[in-house]
């Protein structure tokens, strides 16, 4: 790890009305929301001029309290630390004559 930046996060939501066939739909929605949250995180990684996101975590929250339990809300939140990561060979080649690491561009 050459450089790390402050933690970034993203959150996406989906709400719908409960029907008998919605359990599978809810599972599919969680998958799609997770991908959406990841895409938002990766956009921020690029904006921070980084090439990796370490410690990427996802939290899924559901709420069924709306309209007597018939309205469902799914929230997926992702967070991680954007970093610049290089291989040890690349890092070694960026040392000065005394072996001290030099800053990367």
């Amino acid at each position: 790890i050459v450089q790390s930046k402050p933690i970034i996060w993203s959150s996406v939501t989906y709400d719908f009305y409960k029907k008998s066939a919605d359990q599978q739909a809810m599972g599919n929605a969680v998958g799609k929301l997770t991908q959406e949250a990841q895409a938002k995180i990766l956009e921020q990684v690029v904006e921070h001029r980084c090439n990796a996101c370490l410690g990427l975590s996802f939290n899924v929250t559901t709420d069924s309290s709306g309209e007597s339990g018939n309205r469902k809300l799914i929230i997926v939140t992702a967070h991680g630390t954007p970093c610049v990561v290089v291989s040890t060979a690349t890092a070694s080649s960026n040392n000065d004559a005394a072996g001290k690491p030099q800053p990367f561009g």
Side-chain angles (χ1 to χ4, degrees):
I1 300 172
V2 177
Q3 184 180 38
S4 67
K5 306 280 178 125
I7 291 173
I8 56 176
W9 62 274
S10 75
S11 188
V12 291
T13 61
Y14 175 68
D15 70 277
F16 62 98
Y17 285 96
K18 177 182 170 184
K19 296 177 188 169
S20 60
D22 279 342
Q23 292 305 315
Q24 184 60 40
M26 188 170 176
N28 292 338
V30 169
K32 289 177 183 176
L33 291 172
T34 301
Q35 290 174 330
E36 207 176 308
Q38 180 185 24
K40 288 184 175 190
I41 287 287
L42 294 176
E43 287 173 11
Q44 291 180 60
V45 167
V46 171
E47 288 172 7
H48 282 86
R49 300 179 60 119
C50 293
N51 65 353
C53 184
L54 301 183
L56 183 58
S57 289
F58 296 91
N59 296 308
V60 178
T61 305
T62 60
D63 181 0
S64 300
S65 62
E67 299 189 27
S68 301
N70 289 319
R71 188 166 191 155
K72 306 288 185 184
L73 175 67
I74 305 169
I75 305 167
V76 176
T77 303
H79 63 278
T81 304
C83 297
V84 175
V85 178
V86 296
S87 70
T88 54
T90 303
S92 295
S93 68
N94 200 44
N95 292 346
D96 66 11
K100 294 181 181 177
Q102 297 299 302
F104 284 84

